[in-house]
Amino acid sequence: MNLKLPFLNKPPLVAVVRLNGAIGMAGRGALNDAALGPVLERAFRKGKPAAVAFEINSPGGSPVQSALIGARIRRLSEELKVPTIAFVEDVAASGGYWLAASADEIWADESSILGSIGVISAGFGAHVFLARQGVERRVYTAGRSKSMLDPFRPENAEDVKRLKQLLGDIHDNFIAHVKDRRGDKLDTSEDLYTGEIWLGRRAVSLGLIDGIGHLRPKMQARFGPKVRFRRYGIKKPLLGRIGVQIAQDTLSGIEERAEYARFGL
Protein backbone atom coordinates (compact mmCIF):
# COMPACT_ATOMS: atom_id res chain seq x y z
CA MET A 1 0.00 0.00 0.00
CA ASN A 2 1.36 3.37 -1.00
CA LEU A 3 0.90 5.97 1.70
CA LYS A 4 1.21 9.57 0.54
CA LEU A 5 2.25 12.04 3.18
CA PRO A 6 1.35 15.59 2.06
CA PHE A 7 4.03 17.22 4.20
CA LEU A 8 6.84 15.35 2.44
CA ASN A 9 8.59 16.62 -0.69
CA LYS A 10 7.19 20.11 -0.37
CA PRO A 11 8.71 22.73 -2.67
CA PRO A 12 11.43 24.87 -1.07
CA LEU A 13 10.35 27.68 1.22
CA VAL A 14 11.70 31.23 1.02
CA ALA A 15 11.02 33.51 3.98
CA VAL A 16 10.47 37.14 2.95
CA VAL A 17 11.07 40.04 5.32
CA ARG A 18 10.19 43.58 4.27
CA LEU A 19 12.56 46.32 5.46
CA ASN A 20 10.73 49.49 4.52
CA GLY A 21 11.25 53.04 5.77
CA ALA A 22 13.80 55.10 7.63
CA ILE A 23 15.90 53.24 10.19
CA GLY A 24 15.53 54.03 13.88
CA MET A 25 12.43 56.24 13.63
CA ALA A 26 10.03 56.12 16.57
CA GLY A 27 6.71 55.48 14.82
CA ARG A 28 4.75 52.26 14.40
CA GLY A 29 6.50 49.69 12.23
CA ALA A 30 9.82 51.50 12.60
CA LEU A 31 12.98 49.73 11.50
CA ASN A 32 14.91 49.09 14.69
CA ASP A 33 16.52 46.03 16.20
CA ALA A 34 14.07 45.72 19.10
CA ALA A 35 11.05 45.58 16.77
CA LEU A 36 12.69 43.50 14.04
CA GLY A 37 14.43 40.99 16.31
CA PRO A 38 11.40 38.68 16.82
CA VAL A 39 10.47 39.01 13.13
CA LEU A 40 13.93 37.90 11.99
CA GLU A 41 14.00 35.04 14.49
CA ARG A 42 10.73 33.65 13.08
CA ALA A 43 11.79 34.15 9.47
CA PHE A 44 15.03 32.21 9.92
CA ARG A 45 13.73 29.46 12.20
CA LYS A 46 10.17 28.67 11.12
CA GLY A 47 9.67 25.99 8.50
CA LYS A 48 13.36 25.46 7.65
CA PRO A 49 13.56 28.03 4.83
CA ALA A 50 15.89 27.46 1.90
CA ALA A 51 16.71 31.18 2.03
CA VAL A 52 15.62 34.42 3.64
CA ALA A 53 14.93 37.25 1.19
CA PHE A 54 14.76 40.89 2.17
CA GLU A 55 12.69 43.48 0.32
CA ILE A 56 14.57 46.70 1.06
CA ASN A 57 13.28 50.21 0.51
CA SER A 58 15.10 52.52 2.92
CA PRO A 59 16.89 55.88 2.66
CA GLY A 60 18.90 55.13 5.81
CA GLY A 61 18.79 56.49 9.32
CA SER A 62 20.46 55.50 12.58
CA PRO A 63 23.94 54.00 12.08
CA VAL A 64 23.66 52.05 15.33
CA GLN A 65 20.29 50.49 14.48
CA SER A 66 21.58 49.69 10.99
CA ALA A 67 24.56 47.88 12.52
CA LEU A 68 22.43 46.03 15.10
CA ILE A 69 19.95 44.78 12.50
CA GLY A 70 22.73 43.84 10.10
CA ALA A 71 24.63 41.96 12.82
CA ARG A 72 21.49 40.02 13.78
CA ILE A 73 20.96 39.00 10.16
CA ARG A 74 24.54 37.74 9.96
CA ARG A 75 24.34 35.82 13.26
CA LEU A 76 21.15 34.01 12.29
CA SER A 77 22.36 33.28 8.76
CA GLU A 78 25.63 31.79 9.96
CA GLU A 79 24.17 29.94 12.95
CA LEU A 80 21.37 28.29 10.95
CA LYS A 81 23.28 28.11 7.66
CA VAL A 82 20.50 29.89 5.76
CA PRO A 83 21.56 32.04 2.79
CA THR A 84 20.29 35.62 2.62
CA ILE A 85 19.38 37.62 -0.48
CA ALA A 86 18.51 41.34 -0.55
CA PHE A 87 16.20 42.79 -3.22
CA VAL A 88 16.29 46.58 -3.42
CA GLU A 89 13.21 48.48 -4.55
CA ASP A 90 13.32 52.31 -4.84
CA VAL A 91 16.32 52.94 -2.63
CA ALA A 92 18.91 51.32 -0.39
CA ALA A 93 21.05 54.28 0.59
CA SER A 94 23.22 55.00 3.62
CA GLY A 95 21.86 52.73 6.40
CA GLY A 96 19.59 51.11 3.82
CA TYR A 97 22.67 49.98 1.92
CA TRP A 98 24.23 48.80 5.22
CA LEU A 99 21.24 46.44 5.57
CA ALA A 100 21.52 45.28 1.96
CA ALA A 101 25.24 44.59 2.37
CA SER A 102 24.45 42.40 5.37
CA ALA A 103 22.91 39.86 2.98
CA ASP A 104 24.95 37.34 0.99
CA GLU A 105 23.70 38.76 -2.32
CA ILE A 106 22.15 42.05 -3.43
CA TRP A 107 19.81 42.40 -6.41
CA ALA A 108 18.05 45.55 -7.57
CA ASP A 109 16.01 47.17 -10.30
CA GLU A 110 17.81 49.12 -13.02
CA SER A 111 16.42 52.36 -11.57
CA SER A 112 17.02 51.56 -7.90
CA ILE A 113 19.12 54.12 -6.02
CA LEU A 114 22.07 52.64 -4.12
CA GLY A 115 25.09 53.75 -2.15
CA SER A 116 25.39 56.97 -0.16
CA ILE A 117 28.19 55.38 1.84
CA GLY A 118 28.78 58.36 4.06
CA VAL A 119 27.58 60.01 7.27
CA ILE A 120 25.66 63.24 7.69
CA SER A 121 24.73 65.55 10.55
CA ALA A 122 22.50 68.56 9.89
CA GLY A 123 20.77 71.20 11.94
CA PHE A 124 19.93 74.90 12.21
CA GLY A 125 21.41 77.87 14.02
CA ALA A 126 18.84 80.17 15.64
CA HIS A 127 21.04 82.47 17.72
CA VAL A 128 20.72 85.44 15.32
CA PHE A 129 16.93 85.14 15.28
CA LEU A 130 16.78 85.04 19.08
CA ALA A 131 19.02 88.08 19.36
CA ARG A 132 16.82 90.04 16.98
CA GLN A 133 13.79 89.13 19.06
CA GLY A 134 15.50 90.28 22.23
CA VAL A 135 15.59 86.76 23.70
CA GLU A 136 18.56 85.94 25.92
CA ARG A 137 19.71 82.32 26.02
CA ARG A 138 20.91 81.11 29.43
CA VAL A 139 22.74 77.77 29.67
CA TYR A 140 24.62 76.35 32.67
CA THR A 141 26.63 73.13 32.43
CA ALA A 142 29.05 70.96 34.36
CA GLY A 143 31.50 69.81 31.69
CA ARG A 144 32.63 72.16 28.96
CA SER A 145 31.30 69.99 26.12
CA LYS A 146 27.85 69.40 27.59
CA SER A 147 26.21 72.07 25.42
CA MET A 148 28.09 71.10 22.27
CA LEU A 149 26.33 72.26 19.08
CA ASP A 150 23.57 74.08 20.95
CA PRO A 151 21.51 75.54 18.04
CA PHE A 152 20.65 78.63 20.08
CA ARG A 153 24.27 79.68 20.53
CA PRO A 154 26.90 80.73 17.95
CA GLU A 155 28.77 77.83 16.32
CA ASN A 156 32.00 76.91 18.07
CA ALA A 157 35.00 75.75 15.99
CA GLU A 158 36.05 73.26 18.67
CA ASP A 159 32.57 71.71 18.70
CA VAL A 160 32.61 71.37 14.91
CA LYS A 161 36.00 69.66 15.05
CA ARG A 162 34.75 67.14 17.59
CA LEU A 163 31.61 66.46 15.54
CA LYS A 164 33.65 65.84 12.39
CA GLN A 165 35.81 63.38 14.30
CA LEU A 166 32.70 61.48 15.38
CA LEU A 167 31.32 61.47 11.83
CA GLY A 168 34.67 60.26 10.52
CA ASP A 169 34.75 57.35 12.98
CA ILE A 170 31.24 56.27 12.01
CA HIS A 171 32.19 56.57 8.33
CA ASP A 172 35.19 54.29 8.94
CA ASN A 173 32.86 51.70 10.50
CA PHE A 174 30.56 51.90 7.46
CA ILE A 175 33.45 51.48 5.03
CA ALA A 176 34.79 48.50 6.97
CA HIS A 177 31.35 46.84 6.86
CA VAL A 178 31.02 47.29 3.09
CA LYS A 179 34.52 46.00 2.42
CA ASP A 180 33.98 43.01 4.70
CA ARG A 181 30.68 42.05 3.09
CA ARG A 182 31.38 42.83 -0.58
CA GLY A 183 35.08 41.94 -0.58
CA ASP A 184 36.67 41.29 -3.98
CA LYS A 185 33.43 42.19 -5.78
CA LEU A 186 34.12 45.91 -5.26
CA ASP A 187 35.75 48.02 -7.97
CA THR A 188 38.83 49.27 -6.14
CA SER A 189 39.67 51.75 -8.90
CA GLU A 190 36.69 53.89 -7.85
CA ASP A 191 36.22 55.84 -4.63
CA LEU A 192 32.94 54.35 -3.45
CA TYR A 193 32.88 56.06 -0.07
CA THR A 194 32.20 59.72 -0.89
CA GLY A 195 28.47 59.52 -0.15
CA GLU A 196 27.65 59.38 -3.88
CA ILE A 197 24.66 57.40 -5.14
CA TRP A 198 24.28 55.24 -8.26
CA LEU A 199 21.48 53.54 -10.17
CA GLY A 200 21.23 49.77 -10.38
CA ARG A 201 23.13 49.08 -13.60
CA ARG A 202 26.08 51.25 -12.58
CA ALA A 203 26.04 49.70 -9.11
CA VAL A 204 26.55 46.29 -10.73
CA SER A 205 29.71 47.43 -12.51
CA LEU A 206 31.03 48.91 -9.25
CA GLY A 207 30.44 45.66 -7.38
CA LEU A 208 27.96 47.24 -4.96
CA ILE A 209 25.28 44.75 -6.02
CA ASP A 210 25.33 41.36 -7.75
CA GLY A 211 22.92 42.03 -10.56
CA ILE A 212 19.57 43.23 -11.83
CA GLY A 213 16.66 41.09 -10.68
CA HIS A 214 13.35 40.97 -8.85
CA LEU A 215 12.41 38.74 -5.93
CA ARG A 216 9.80 36.32 -7.29
CA PRO A 217 11.33 35.48 -10.70
CA LYS A 218 14.81 35.28 -9.18
CA MET A 219 13.72 32.88 -6.45
CA GLN A 220 11.68 30.80 -8.92
CA ALA A 221 14.71 30.48 -11.19
CA ARG A 222 16.84 29.36 -8.25
CA PHE A 223 14.46 27.13 -6.28
CA GLY A 224 11.96 26.08 -8.94
CA PRO A 225 8.63 27.45 -10.21
CA LYS A 226 6.72 26.00 -7.24
CA VAL A 227 8.85 27.69 -4.58
CA ARG A 228 6.77 28.80 -1.60
CA PHE A 229 6.96 32.27 -0.05
CA ARG A 230 6.16 33.09 3.57
CA ARG A 231 6.12 36.75 4.54
CA TYR A 232 7.08 38.22 7.88
CA GLY A 233 6.73 41.76 9.15
CA ILE A 234 6.33 43.96 12.20
CA LYS A 235 2.83 43.69 13.63
CA LYS A 236 1.17 47.05 14.16
CA PRO A 237 -0.76 47.42 17.43
CA LEU A 238 -4.56 47.40 17.05
CA LEU A 239 -5.03 50.37 19.37
CA GLY A 240 -1.96 52.23 18.24
CA ARG A 241 -3.79 55.02 16.43
CA ILE A 242 -4.97 57.03 19.42
CA GLY A 243 -3.76 60.09 21.28
CA VAL A 244 -0.01 60.55 21.50
CA GLN A 245 0.63 57.71 19.03
CA ILE A 246 -1.05 59.64 16.19
CA ALA A 247 1.09 62.70 16.83
CA GLN A 248 4.23 60.57 17.08
CA ASP A 249 3.42 58.77 13.83
CA THR A 250 2.74 62.08 12.07
CA LEU A 251 6.09 63.53 13.15
CA SER A 252 7.93 60.33 12.22
CA GLY A 253 6.19 60.37 8.84
CA ILE A 254 7.39 63.92 8.14
CA GLU A 255 10.95 63.01 9.11
CA GLU A 256 10.84 59.87 6.99
CA ARG A 257 9.41 61.78 4.02
CA ALA A 258 12.32 64.23 4.28
CA GLU A 259 14.79 61.32 4.19
CA TYR A 260 13.27 59.95 0.96
CA ALA A 261 13.13 63.46 -0.55
CA ARG A 262 16.94 63.62 -0.46
CA PHE A 263 16.90 61.02 -3.24
CA GLY A 264 14.09 62.58 -5.28
CA LEU A 265 11.53 60.04 -4.04
Side-chain angles (χ1 to χ4, degrees), residues 160-196:
V160 174
K161 182 180 179 181
R162 281 196 294 268
L163 175 62
K164 288 185 175 180
Q165 179 64 55
L166 293 174
L167 297 179
D169 290 344
I170 296 172
H171 194 202
D172 288 343
N173 294 338
F174 197 170
I175 293 170
H177 174 69
V178 173
K179 288 183 175 180
D180 177 63
R181 296 300 307 145
R182 299 300 296 171
D184 295 336
K185 296 177 181 179
L186 295 171
D187 182 352
T188 56
S189 67
E190 294 275 352
D191 186 355
L192 305 176
Y193 313 112
T194 63
E196 187 177 350

Side-chain angles (χ1 to χ4, degrees), residues 68-89:
L68 289 173
I69 296 167
R72 187 184 291 271
I73 290 170
R74 294 312 318 145
R75 285 197 304 273
L76 288 168
S77 176
E78 292 165 9
E79 174 191 342
L80 301 172
K81 295 179 171 52
V82 177
T84 53
I85 306 113
F87 291 90
V88 177
E89 295 182 349

